[in-house]
Amino acid sequence: MSAESAAFHHVVDFRWRQGDPSISETEARLHDLRTLQAAITEVAKVAVADARADYVTWSQIGDALGISAQAAVARYGRRGDHR
């Protein structure tokens, strides 16, 4: 199983709001996706900070995230962190 396939299965299997009688199952799935997206954003911030603490370059971080080094700095960089 590929990493993408495994990730897809985790997303499909994630249930937070599904079963909530106040919203439809389709709406619940969208709420679940938003929850996962927020969690991934926070985990990525921590992972990038850890990588920078380990002297991983912005170019390496960008490559790993599938974005440019400049985009990585813009999204995750802190003032004064230009190593």
Side-chain angles (χ1 to χ4, degrees), residues 21-36:
S22 68
I23 58 176
S24 72
E25 287 298 306
T26 304
E27 289 174 292
R29 188 161 187 203
L30 293 172
H31 283 280
D32 291 348
L33 289 172
R34 186 182 71 207
T35 300
L36 284 169

Side-chain angles (χ1 to χ4, degrees), residues 20-83:
D20 182 339
S22 68
I23 58 176
S24 72
E25 287 298 306
T26 304
E27 289 174 292
R29 188 161 187 203
L30 293 172
H31 283 280
D32 291 348
L33 289 172
R34 186 182 71 207
T35 300
L36 284 169
Q37 187 174 38
I40 289 168
T41 298
E42 289 305 309
V43 170
K45 287 178 186 178
V46 171
V48 169
D50 289 347
R52 292 297 295 153
D54 287 341
Y55 300 98
V56 177
T57 67
W58 285 113
S59 181
Q60 291 169 310
I61 291 168
D63 286 345
L65 296 175
I67 59 178
S68 70
Q70 292 82 4
V73 170
R75 189 174 300 168
Y76 302 105
R78 284 188 236 153
R79 240 184 193 160
D81 184 13
H82 301 288
R83 290 186 280 201

